[in-house]
Amino acid sequence: MRIEPIKLMPVGSRISMDEVAKVADTEKTFGQFLADALNDVNELQKNSNKASIDLAAGRVEDVSQVMIAAEKANVALQLTMQVRNKIVDAYQEVMRMQV
């Protein structure tokens, strides 16, 4: 007797299992998602630095755009650090568990 796996479809969905498989194959891994997020934060930091240099050189007329870029970079960096702290805390908690 052979047991076949159950094929689940979302209720009311009109997509086929082949389409679901294609989406599952193209999804990012956690590592790729994390790398992309860190690259985005790095780009915000670079943009902020460039805007500050342009302001100091007198190439920027709108100071508010420089401040917005700096705050975006600051908020993104703070969020990244908080996520890192939560990951480290979770890792430490797992290491304290007794097996």
Side-chain angles (χ1 to χ4, degrees):
M1 182 173 150
R2 182 175 174 183
I3 299 175
E4 295 290 327
I6 297 175
K7 295 180 182 178
L8 298 176
M9 291 289 292
V11 176
S13 174
R14 295 180 184 230
I15 58 175
S16 68
M17 287 305 290
D18 293 333
E19 292 172 354
V20 171
K22 287 178 188 175
V23 170
D25 290 340
T26 60
E27 288 182 4
K28 292 182 182 180
T29 64
F30 179 73
Q32 291 169 336
F33 178 75
L34 191 59
D36 289 346
L38 290 176
N39 287 334
D40 291 343
V41 171
N42 190 34
E43 284 301 315
L44 286 172
Q45 292 288 332
K46 287 179 182 177
N47 291 341
S48 174
N49 190 28
K50 183 180 180 308
S52 298
I53 291 171
D54 288 345
L55 178 66
R59 291 181 281 216
V60 175
E61 295 179 13
D62 191 9
V63 178
S64 66
Q65 295 301 319
V66 176
M67 294 306 297
I68 290 171
E71 283 302 310
K72 280 183 182 179
N74 187 27
V75 169
L77 184 61
Q78 286 180 0
L79 176 65
T80 303
M81 294 303 297
Q82 290 300 319
V83 170
R84 180 196 66 94
N85 291 341
K86 290 293 183 181
I87 291 171
V88 169
D89 288 343
Y91 174 78
Q92 289 174 345
E93 185 68 27
V94 168
M95 288 294 113
R96 281 193 291 257
M97 286 182 179
Q98 293 192 7
V99 180

Coordinates of all heavy atoms in Angstrom, one line a residue:
M1 N 0.8 -1.2 0.0 CA 0.0 0.0 0.0 C 0.9 1.2 0.0 O 1.8 1.4 0.8 CB -0.9 0.0 1.2 CG -1.8 1.1 1.3 SD -2.9 0.9 2.7 CE -3.2 2.5 3.1
R2 N 0.6 2.1 -0.9 CA 1.4 3.3 -1.1 C 0.6 4.5 -0.6 O -0.5 4.7 -1.0 CB 1.8 3.5 -2.5 CG 2.7 4.7 -2.7 CD 3.2 4.8 -4.1 NE 3.9 6.1 -4.2 CZ 4.4 6.6 -5.2 NH1 4.4 5.9 -6.3 NH2 5.1 7.7 -5.2
I3 N 1.3 5.4 0.2 CA 0.6 6.6 0.7 C 1.0 7.8 -0.2 O 2.2 8.1 -0.3 CB 0.9 6.8 2.2 CG1 0.5 5.7 3.0 CG2 0.3 8.1 2.7 CD1 0.9 5.8 4.5
E4 N 0.1 8.4 -0.7 CA 0.3 9.6 -1.6 C 0.3 10.9 -0.7 O -0.5 11.0 0.2 CB -0.7 9.7 -2.7 CG -0.8 8.6 -3.7 CD 0.4 8.6 -4.6 OE1 0.9 9.7 -4.9 OE2 0.9 7.5 -5.0
P5 N 1.2 11.8 -1.0 CA 1.2 13.1 -0.3 C 0.0 13.9 -0.6 O -0.5 13.8 -1.7 CB 2.5 13.8 -0.7 CG 2.8 13.2 -2.0 CD 2.3 11.8 -2.0
I6 N -0.5 14.6 0.4 CA -1.7 15.4 0.2 C -1.3 16.7 -0.5 O -0.3 17.4 -0.2 CB -2.3 15.8 1.5 CG1 -2.8 14.5 2.2 CG2 -3.5 16.8 1.4 CD1 -3.3 14.8 3.6
K7 N -2.0 17.1 -1.5 CA -1.8 18.3 -2.2 C -2.8 19.4 -1.8 O -4.0 19.2 -2.0 CB -1.9 18.1 -3.8 CG -0.8 17.2 -4.3 CD -1.0 17.0 -5.8 CE 0.0 16.0 -6.2 NZ -0.1 15.7 -7.7
L8 N -2.3 20.4 -1.1 CA -3.2 21.4 -0.5 C -3.2 22.6 -1.5 O -2.2 23.0 -2.0 CB -2.7 21.8 0.8 CG -2.6 20.8 1.9 CD1 -2.0 21.3 3.2 CD2 -3.9 20.2 2.2
M9 N -4.4 23.0 -1.7 CA -4.7 24.2 -2.5 C -5.4 25.3 -1.6 O -6.3 24.9 -0.8 CB -5.6 23.9 -3.7 CG -4.9 23.0 -4.7 SD -3.6 23.9 -5.6 CE -4.6 25.1 -6.5
P10 N -5.0 26.5 -1.7 CA -5.7 27.6 -1.0 C -7.2 27.6 -1.4 O -7.5 27.4 -2.5 CB -5.0 28.9 -1.4 CG -3.7 28.4 -1.9 CD -3.9 27.1 -2.5
V11 N -8.0 27.9 -0.4 CA -9.5 28.0 -0.7 C -9.7 29.2 -1.6 O -9.3 30.3 -1.4 CB -10.2 28.1 0.6 CG1 -11.7 28.3 0.3 CG2 -10.0 26.9 1.5
G12 N -10.5 29.0 -2.7 CA -10.9 30.0 -3.6 C -9.8 30.4 -4.5 O -9.9 31.4 -5.3
S13 N -8.7 29.7 -4.5 CA -7.6 30.0 -5.4 C -7.7 29.4 -6.8 O -8.3 28.3 -6.9 CB -6.3 29.5 -4.8 OG -5.2 29.8 -5.7
R14 N -7.3 30.1 -7.8 CA -7.3 29.6 -9.1 C -5.9 29.3 -9.7 O -5.8 29.1 -10.9 CB -8.1 30.6 -10.0 CG -9.5 30.7 -9.6 CD -10.2 31.7 -10.5 NE -11.5 31.9 -10.0 CZ -12.6 31.8 -10.7 NH1 -12.5 31.6 -12.0 NH2 -13.8 32.0 -10.2
I15 N -4.9 29.2 -8.8 CA -3.6 28.9 -9.3 C -3.4 27.4 -9.2 O -3.9 26.7 -8.4 CB -2.5 29.7 -8.5 CG1 -2.6 29.3 -7.1 CG2 -2.6 31.2 -8.8 CD1 -1.5 30.0 -6.3
S16 N -2.6 26.9 -10.2 CA -2.4 25.5 -10.2 C -1.2 25.1 -9.3 O -0.4 26.0 -8.9 CB -2.1 25.0 -11.7 OG -0.8 25.6 -12.1
M17 N -1.0 23.8 -9.1 CA 0.1 23.4 -8.3 C 1.4 23.7 -9.0 O 2.5 23.9 -8.3 CB 0.0 21.9 -8.0 CG -1.1 21.6 -7.0 SD -0.9 22.4 -5.4 CE 0.5 21.6 -4.8
D18 N 1.4 23.7 -10.3 CA 2.7 24.0 -11.1 C 3.1 25.4 -10.8 O 4.3 25.7 -10.6 CB 2.5 23.8 -12.6 CG 2.3 22.3 -12.9 OD1 2.8 21.4 -12.2 OD2 1.6 22.0 -13.9
E19 N 2.1 26.3 -10.7 CA 2.4 27.7 -10.5 C 2.9 27.9 -9.0 O 3.8 28.7 -8.8 CB 1.2 28.6 -10.7 CG 0.8 28.7 -12.2 CD -0.5 29.4 -12.4 OE1 -1.2 29.7 -11.4 OE2 -0.9 29.6 -13.5
V20 N 2.4 27.1 -8.1 CA 2.8 27.2 -6.7 C 4.2 26.7 -6.6 O 5.1 27.2 -5.9 CB 1.9 26.3 -5.8 CG1 2.4 26.2 -4.4 CG2 0.5 27.0 -5.8
A21 N 4.6 25.6 -7.4 CA 5.9 25.1 -7.3 C 6.9 26.1 -7.9 O 8.0 26.2 -7.4 CB 6.0 23.8 -8.1
K22 N 6.5 26.8 -9.0 CA 7.4 27.8 -9.6 C 7.7 28.9 -8.6 O 8.8 29.4 -8.5 CB 6.8 28.4 -10.8 CG 6.8 27.4 -12.0 CD 6.1 28.1 -13.2 CE 5.9 27.1 -14.3 NZ 5.1 27.7 -15.4
V23 N 6.7 29.3 -7.8 CA 6.9 30.4 -6.8 C 7.8 29.9 -5.7 O 8.7 30.6 -5.3 CB 5.5 30.9 -6.3 CG1 5.7 31.8 -5.1 CG2 4.7 31.6 -7.4
A24 N 7.6 28.7 -5.3 CA 8.4 28.1 -4.2 C 9.9 28.0 -4.7 O 10.8 28.2 -3.8 CB 7.9 26.8 -3.8
D25 N 10.1 27.7 -5.9 CA 11.5 27.6 -6.4 C 12.2 29.0 -6.5 O 13.4 29.0 -6.4 CB 11.5 26.9 -7.8 CG 11.1 25.5 -7.7 OD1 11.2 24.9 -6.6 OD2 10.8 24.9 -8.8
T26 N 11.4 30.0 -6.7 CA 12.0 31.3 -6.9 C 12.1 32.1 -5.6 O 12.6 33.3 -5.6 CB 11.2 32.2 -7.9 OG1 9.9 32.3 -7.4 CG2 11.2 31.5 -9.3
E27 N 11.6 31.6 -4.5 CA 11.6 32.3 -3.2 C 13.1 32.4 -2.7 O 13.9 31.5 -3.0 CB 10.8 31.6 -2.2 CG 9.3 31.8 -2.4 CD 8.5 31.1 -1.3 OE1 9.1 30.6 -0.4 OE2 7.3 31.1 -1.5
K28 N 13.3 33.5 -2.0 CA 14.7 33.7 -1.5 C 14.9 32.9 -0.2 O 13.9 32.7 0.6 CB 14.9 35.2 -1.1 CG 14.9 36.1 -2.2 CD 15.1 37.5 -1.7 CE 15.1 38.5 -2.9 NZ 15.3 39.9 -2.4
T29 N 16.1 32.5 0.0 CA 16.4 31.9 1.3 C 16.6 33.0 2.4 O 16.7 34.2 2.0 CB 17.7 31.1 1.2 OG1 18.8 32.0 0.9 CG2 17.6 30.0 0.1
F30 N 16.7 32.6 3.6 CA 16.9 33.5 4.7 C 18.2 34.3 4.5 O 18.2 35.5 4.7 CB 16.8 32.9 6.1 CG 17.0 33.8 7.2 CD1 16.0 34.7 7.6 CD2 18.2 33.8 7.9 CE1 16.2 35.6 8.6 CE2 18.4 34.7 8.9 CZ 17.4 35.6 9.3
G31 N 19.2 33.6 4.1 CA 20.5 34.2 3.9 C 20.5 35.2 2.8 O 21.1 36.3 3.0
Q32 N 19.8 34.9 1.7 CA 19.7 35.9 0.6 C 18.9 37.1 1.1 O 19.2 38.3 0.7 CB 19.0 35.3 -0.6 CG 19.9 34.2 -1.2 CD 19.1 33.4 -2.3 OE1 17.9 33.3 -2.2 NE2 19.8 32.8 -3.2
F33 N 17.8 36.9 1.8 CA 17.0 38.0 2.3 C 17.8 38.9 3.2 O 17.8 40.1 3.1 CB 15.8 37.4 3.1 CG 14.9 38.5 3.6 CD1 14.1 39.3 2.8 CD2 14.9 38.8 5.0 CE1 13.3 40.2 3.4 CE2 14.1 39.7 5.5 CZ 13.3 40.5 4.7
L34 N 18.6 38.3 4.1 CA 19.4 39.0 5.0 C 20.5 39.8 4.3 O 20.8 41.0 4.6 CB 20.1 38.1 6.1 CG 20.8 38.7 7.3 CD1 19.8 39.5 8.1 CD2 21.3 37.6 8.1
A35 N 21.1 39.2 3.3 CA 22.2 39.9 2.5 C 21.6 41.1 1.8 O 22.2 42.1 1.7 CB 22.8 38.9 1.6
D36 N 20.4 40.9 1.2 CA 19.8 42.0 0.5 C 19.4 43.1 1.5 O 19.6 44.3 1.1 CB 18.5 41.5 -0.2 CG 18.7 40.6 -1.4 OD1 19.9 40.6 -1.9 OD2 17.8 40.0 -1.9
A37 N 18.9 42.8 2.6 CA 18.6 43.8 3.6 C 19.9 44.6 4.0 O 19.8 45.8 4.1 CB 17.9 43.2 4.8
L38 N 21.0 43.9 4.3 CA 22.2 44.6 4.6 C 22.7 45.4 3.5 O 23.3 46.5 3.8 CB 23.2 43.5 5.1 CG 23.0 42.8 6.4 CD1 24.0 41.8 6.7 CD2 22.9 43.8 7.5
N39 N 22.6 45.0 2.3 CA 23.0 45.8 1.1 C 22.2 47.0 1.0 O 22.7 48.1 0.7 CB 22.9 45.0 -0.2 CG 24.0 43.9 -0.3 OD1 25.1 44.1 0.3 ND2 23.8 42.9 -1.0
D40 N 20.9 46.9 1.3 CA 20.0 48.1 1.3 C 20.4 49.1 2.3 O 20.5 50.4 2.1 CB 18.6 47.7 1.5 CG 18.0 47.0 0.3 OD1 18.6 47.0 -0.8 OD2 16.9 46.3 0.5
V41 N 20.8 48.7 3.5 CA 21.2 49.6 4.6 C 22.5 50.2 4.2 O 22.7 51.4 4.4 CB 21.4 48.8 5.9 CG1 22.0 49.6 7.0 CG2 20.0 48.3 6.4
N42 N 23.4 49.4 3.6 CA 24.7 50.0 3.1 C 24.5 51.0 2.1 O 25.2 52.1 2.1 CB 25.6 48.8 2.6 CG 27.0 49.3 2.3 OD1 27.5 50.1 3.1 ND2 27.6 48.7 1.3
E43 N 23.6 50.8 1.2 CA 23.3 51.8 0.1 C 22.7 53.1 0.8 O 23.1 54.2 0.3 CB 22.3 51.3 -0.9 CG 22.9 50.3 -1.9 CD 24.1 50.9 -2.7 OE1 23.9 52.1 -3.2 OE2 25.1 50.3 -2.8
L44 N 21.9 53.0 1.8 CA 21.4 54.2 2.5 C 22.5 54.9 3.1 O 22.5 56.2 3.1 CB 20.3 53.8 3.5 CG 18.9 53.4 2.9 CD1 18.0 52.8 4.0 CD2 18.3 54.6 2.2
Q45 N 23.4 54.2 3.7 CA 24.6 54.8 4.4 C 25.4 55.6 3.3 O 25.9 56.7 3.6 CB 25.4 53.8 5.1 CG 24.8 53.2 6.3 CD 24.7 54.2 7.5 OE1 25.5 55.1 7.6 NE2 23.7 54.0 8.3
K46 N 25.7 54.9 2.2 CA 26.5 55.6 1.1 C 25.8 56.8 0.6 O 26.4 57.9 0.4 CB 26.7 54.6 0.0 CG 27.7 53.5 0.3 CD 27.8 52.6 -0.9 CE 28.8 51.4 -0.6 NZ 28.8 50.5 -1.7
N47 N 24.4 56.7 0.4 CA 23.7 57.9 -0.1 C 23.8 59.1 0.9 O 23.9 60.2 0.5 CB 22.2 57.5 -0.4 CG 22.1 56.6 -1.6 OD1 23.0 56.5 -2.4 ND2 21.0 55.9 -1.7
S48 N 23.7 58.7 2.2 CA 23.7 59.8 3.2 C 25.1 60.4 3.2 O 25.2 61.7 3.3 CB 23.4 59.2 4.6 OG 23.7 60.1 5.6
N49 N 26.1 59.6 3.1 CA 27.5 60.1 3.1 C 27.7 61.0 1.9 O 28.3 62.1 2.0 CB 28.5 59.0 3.1 CG 29.9 59.5 3.3 OD1 30.1 60.5 4.0 ND2 30.9 58.7 2.8
K50 N 27.3 60.6 0.7 CA 27.4 61.4 -0.5 C 26.6 62.7 -0.4 O 27.1 63.8 -0.8 CB 26.9 60.6 -1.7 CG 27.1 61.3 -3.0 CD 26.6 60.5 -4.2 CE 26.8 61.2 -5.5 NZ 26.3 62.5 -5.6
A51 N 25.4 62.7 0.2 CA 24.6 63.9 0.3 C 25.3 64.9 1.3 O 25.3 66.1 1.0 CB 23.2 63.5 0.9
S52 N 25.9 64.3 2.4 CA 26.7 65.2 3.3 C 27.9 65.9 2.6 O 28.1 67.0 2.8 CB 27.1 64.4 4.5 OG 26.0 63.9 5.2
I53 N 28.6 65.1 1.8 CA 29.8 65.6 1.1 C 29.3 66.7 0.1 O 29.9 67.7 0.0 CB 30.5 64.5 0.4 CG1 31.2 63.6 1.5 CG2 31.6 65.0 -0.6 CD1 31.8 62.4 1.0
D54 N 28.2 66.4 -0.6 CA 27.7 67.4 -1.6 C 27.2 68.7 -0.9 O 27.4 69.8 -1.4 CB 26.5 66.8 -2.4 CG 27.0 65.7 -3.4 OD1 28.2 65.7 -3.6 OD2 26.1 65.0 -3.9
L55 N 26.7 68.5 0.3 CA 26.3 69.7 1.1 C 27.5 70.5 1.5 O 27.5 71.8 1.4 CB 25.5 69.3 2.3 CG 25.0 70.4 3.2 CD1 24.0 71.3 2.5 CD2 24.4 69.9 4.5
A56 N 28.5 69.9 2.0 CA 29.7 70.6 2.4 C 30.4 71.2 1.2 O 31.0 72.3 1.4 CB 30.7 69.6 3.1
A57 N 30.3 70.7 0.0 CA 30.9 71.2 -1.2 C 30.0 72.3 -1.8 O 30.5 73.0 -2.7 CB 31.2 70.1 -2.2
G58 N 28.8 72.5 -1.3 CA 27.9 73.5 -1.8 C 27.2 73.1 -3.1 O 26.6 73.9 -3.8
R59 N 27.1 71.8 -3.4 CA 26.4 71.3 -4.5 C 24.9 71.0 -4.3 O 24.2 70.7 -5.2 CB 27.1 70.1 -5.1 CG 28.5 70.3 -5.7 CD 29.1 69.1 -6.2 NE 29.6 68.3 -5.0 CZ 30.7 67.6 -5.0 NH1 31.4 67.5 -6.2 NH2 31.1 67.0 -4.0
V60 N 24.5 71.1 -3.0 CA 23.1 70.8 -2.7 C 22.5 72.1 -2.2 O 23.0 72.9 -1.3 CB 23.1 69.8 -1.5 CG1 21.6 69.6 -1.1 CG2 23.7 68.5 -2.0
E61 N 21.3 72.5 -2.8 CA 20.6 73.7 -2.4 C 19.6 73.4 -1.3 O 19.2 74.2 -0.5 CB 19.9 74.3 -3.6 CG 20.9 74.8 -4.6 CD 20.2 75.4 -5.8 OE1 19.0 75.6 -5.7 OE2 20.9 75.6 -6.8
D62 N 19.0 72.1 -1.3 CA 18.0 71.8 -0.3 C 18.6 70.9 0.8 O 18.8 69.8 0.7 CB 16.9 71.0 -1.1 CG 15.6 70.8 -0.2 OD1 15.6 71.4 0.8 OD2 14.8 70.0 -0.7
V63 N 18.7 71.6 1.9 CA 19.3 70.9 3.1 C 18.4 69.9 3.6 O 18.9 68.9 4.2 CB 19.6 72.0 4.2 CG1 20.2 71.3 5.4 CG2 20.6 73.0 3.7
S64 N 17.1 70.0 3.4 CA 16.2 69.0 4.0 C 16.4 67.6 3.3 O 16.2 66.6 4.0 CB 14.7 69.5 3.8 OG 14.4 69.5 2.4
Q65 N 16.8 67.6 2.1 CA 17.0 66.3 1.4 C 18.2 65.6 2.1 O 18.2 64.4 2.2 CB 17.2 66.5 -0.1 CG 16.0 67.0 -0.8 CD 14.8 66.0 -0.7 OE1 15.0 64.8 -0.7 NE2 13.7 66.6 -0.5
V66 N 19.2 66.4 2.5 CA 20.4 65.8 3.1 C 20.0 65.3 4.5 O 20.4 64.2 4.9 CB 21.5 66.9 3.3 CG1 22.7 66.3 4.1 CG2 21.9 67.4 1.9
M67 N 19.2 66.0 5.2 CA 18.7 65.6 6.5 C 17.8 64.3 6.4 O 17.9 63.4 7.3 CB 18.0 66.7 7.3 CG 18.9 67.9 7.6 SD 20.3 67.4 8.6 CE 19.6 66.8 10.0
I68 N 17.0 64.3 5.4 CA 16.1 63.1 5.2 C 17.0 61.9 4.9 O 16.8 60.8 5.5 CB 15.1 63.4 4.1 CG1 14.1 64.4 4.6 CG2 14.4 62.1 3.7 CD1 13.1 64.9 3.5
A69 N 18.0 62.0 4.1 CA 18.9 60.9 3.7 C 19.6 60.4 5.0 O 19.8 59.2 5.2 CB 19.9 61.3 2.6
A70 N 20.1 61.4 5.8 CA 20.8 61.0 7.0 C 19.9 60.3 8.0 O 20.3 59.3 8.6 CB 21.4 62.3 7.7
E71 N 18.7 60.7 8.1 CA 17.7 60.1 9.1 C 17.3 58.7 8.6 O 17.2 57.8 9.4 CB 16.5 61.0 9.3 CG 16.8 62.1 10.3 CD 17.3 61.6 11.6 OE1 16.7 60.7 12.2 OE2 18.3 62.1 12.1
K72 N 17.1 58.6 7.2 CA 16.8 57.2 6.7 C 17.9 56.3 7.0 O 17.7 55.1 7.4 CB 16.6 57.3 5.2 CG 15.3 57.8 4.7 CD 15.2 57.8 3.2 CE 13.9 58.3 2.7 NZ 13.8 58.2 1.2
A73 N 19.2 56.7 6.8 CA 20.3 55.8 7.1 C 20.4 55.5 8.6 O 20.7 54.4 8.9 CB 21.6 56.5 6.6
N74 N 20.1 56.5 9.4 CA 20.2 56.3 10.8 C 19.1 55.3 11.3 O 19.4 54.4 12.1 CB 20.0 57.6 11.6 CG 20.3 57.5 13.1 OD1 21.0 56.6 13.5 ND2 19.6 58.4 13.8
V75 N 17.9 55.5 10.9 CA 16.8 54.6 11.3 C 17.1 53.1 10.8 O 16.9 52.2 11.5 CB 15.5 55.1 10.7 CG1 14.4 54.1 10.9 CG2 15.1 56.4 11.5
A76 N 17.6 53.0 9.5 CA 17.9 51.7 9.0 C 19.0 51.0 9.8 O 18.9 49.8 10.0 CB 18.3 51.8 7.5
L77 N 20.0 51.8 10.1 CA 21.1 51.2 10.9 C 20.6 50.8 12.3 O 21.0 49.7 12.8 CB 22.3 52.2 11.0 CG 23.5 51.7 11.7 CD1 24.1 50.5 11.0 CD2 24.5 52.8 11.8
Q78 N 19.8 51.6 12.9 CA 19.3 51.3 14.3 C 18.4 50.0 14.2 O 18.5 49.1 15.1 CB 18.5 52.4 14.8 CG 19.3 53.6 15.3 CD 18.4 54.7 15.9 OE1 17.2 54.6 15.9 NE2 19.1 55.8 16.3
L79 N 17.6 49.9 13.2 CA 16.8 48.7 13.0 C 17.6 47.5 12.8 O 17.4 46.4 13.4 CB 15.8 48.9 11.8 CG 15.0 47.6 11.5 CD1 14.0 47.3 12.6 CD2 14.2 47.8 10.2
T80 N 18.7 47.6 12.0 CA 19.6 46.5 11.7 C 20.3 46.0 13.0 O 20.4 44.8 13.3 CB 20.7 46.9 10.7 OG1 20.0 47.3 9.5 CG2 21.6 45.8 10.4
M81 N 20.7 47.0 13.8 CA 21.3 46.7 15.1 C 20.4 46.0 16.1 O 20.7 45.0 16.8 CB 21.9 47.9 15.8 CG 23.1 48.5 15.0 SD 24.4 47.4 14.7 CE 25.0 47.1 16.3
Q82 N 19.1 46.4 16.1 CA 18.1 45.8 17.0 C 17.8 44.4 16.5 O 17.7 43.5 17.4 CB 16.8 46.6 17.0 CG 17.0 47.9 17.8 CD 17.4 47.8 19.2 OE1 17.0 46.9 19.9 NE2 18.4 48.6 19.6
V83 N 17.7 44.2 15.2 CA 17.5 42.8 14.7 C 18.7 41.9 15.1 O 18.5 40.8 15.5 CB 17.2 42.8 13.2 CG1 17.3 41.4 12.6 CG2 15.9 43.5 12.9
R84 N 19.9 42.5 14.9 CA 21.1 41.7 15.3 C 21.1 41.3 16.7 O 21.4 40.2 17.1 CB 22.4 42.5 14.9 CG 23.6 41.7 15.3 CD 24.9 42.6 15.4 NE 24.8 43.6 16.4 CZ 25.3 43.4 17.7 NH1 25.9 42.3 17.9 NH2 25.2 44.3 18.6
N85 N 20.7 42.3 17.6 CA 20.6 42.0 19.0 C 19.6 40.9 19.3 O 19.9 40.1 20.2 CB 20.3 43.3 19.8 CG 21.4 44.3 19.7 OD1 22.6 44.0 19.4 ND2 21.1 45.6 20.0
K86 N 18.5 41.0 18.7 CA 17.5 40.0 18.9 C 18.0 38.6 18.5 O 17.7 37.6 19.1 CB 16.2 40.3 18.2 CG 15.4 41.5 18.8 CD 14.9 41.1 20.2 CE 14.1 42.3 20.7 NZ 13.6 42.1 22.0
I87 N 18.7 38.5 17.4 CA 19.2 37.2 16.9 C 20.2 36.7 17.8 O 20.2 35.5 18.2 CB 19.8 37.4 15.5 CG1 18.6 37.6 14.5 CG2 20.6 36.2 15.1 CD1 19.1 38.0 13.1
V88 N 21.1 37.6 18.3 CA 22.1 37.1 19.3 C 21.5 36.7 20.6 O 21.9 35.6 21.2 CB 23.1 38.3 19.6 CG1 24.0 38.0 20.8 CG2 24.0 38.5 18.3
D89 N 20.4 37.4 21.1 CA 19.7 37.0 22.3 C 19.1 35.6 22.1 O 19.1 34.7 23.0 CB 18.7 38.0 22.7 CG 19.3 39.3 23.2 OD1 20.5 39.3 23.6 OD2 18.6 40.3 23.3
A90 N 18.4 35.4 20.9 CA 17.8 34.1 20.6 C 18.8 33.0 20.6 O 18.6 31.9 21.1 CB 17.0 34.2 19.3
Y91 N 20.0 33.3 20.0 CA 21.1 32.3 19.9 C 21.5 31.9 21.3 O 21.7 30.7 21.6 CB 22.2 32.8 19.1 CG 23.4 31.9 19.0 CD1 23.4 30.7 18.3 CD2 24.5 32.2 19.8 CE1 24.5 29.9 18.3 CE2 25.6 31.3 19.8 CZ 25.6 30.2 19.0 OH 26.7 29.4 19.1
Q92 N 21.7 32.9 22.1 CA 22.2 32.7 23.5 C 21.2 31.9 24.3 O 21.5 31.0 25.1 CB 22.5 34.0 24.2 CG 23.8 34.6 23.7 CD 24.0 36.0 24.2 OE1 23.2 36.6 24.8 NE2 25.2 36.5 24.0
E93 N 19.9 32.2 24.1 CA 18.8 31.5 24.8 C 18.8 30.0 24.3 O 18.7 29.1 25.2 CB 17.5 32.1 24.5 CG 16.3 31.5 25.2 CD 16.4 31.8 26.7 OE1 17.0 32.8 27.1 OE2 15.9 30.9 27.5
V94 N 19.0 29.7 23.1 CA 19.1 28.3 22.6 C 20.3 27.6 23.2 O 20.2 26.5 23.6 CB 19.1 28.3 21.0 CG1 19.5 26.9 20.5 CG2 17.8 28.8 20.5
M95 N 21.4 28.3 23.3 CA 22.6 27.7 23.8 C 22.5 27.4 25.3 O 23.1 26.5 25.8 CB 23.8 28.6 23.6 CG 24.3 28.7 22.2 SD 25.0 27.1 21.7 CE 23.8 26.6 20.5
R96 N 21.6 28.1 26.0 CA 21.4 27.9 27.4 C 20.4 26.7 27.7 O 20.4 26.2 28.8 CB 20.8 29.1 28.1 CG 21.9 30.2 28.4 CD 21.3 31.2 29.4 NE 20.3 32.0 28.7 CZ 20.5 33.2 28.2 NH1 21.6 33.8 28.4 NH2 19.5 33.9 27.6
M97 N 19.7 26.3 26.7 CA 18.8 25.2 26.8 C 19.5 23.9 27.1 O 20.6 23.6 26.5 CB 18.0 25.0 25.6 CG 16.9 26.0 25.3 SD 16.0 25.6 23.8 CE 14.8 26.9 23.8
Q98 N 18.9 23.1 28.0 CA 19.5 21.8 28.3 C 18.9 20.8 27.4 O 17.7 20.7 27.2 CB 19.3 21.5 29.8 CG 20.1 22.4 30.7 CD 20.1 21.9 32.1 OE1 19.7 20.7 32.4 NE2 20.7 22.7 33.0
V99 N 19.7 19.9 26.9 CA 19.3 18.9 25.9 C 19.0 17.6 26.7 O 19.6 17.2 27.5 CB 20.3 18.6 24.8 CG1 19.8 17.6 23.9 CG2 20.5 19.9 24.1

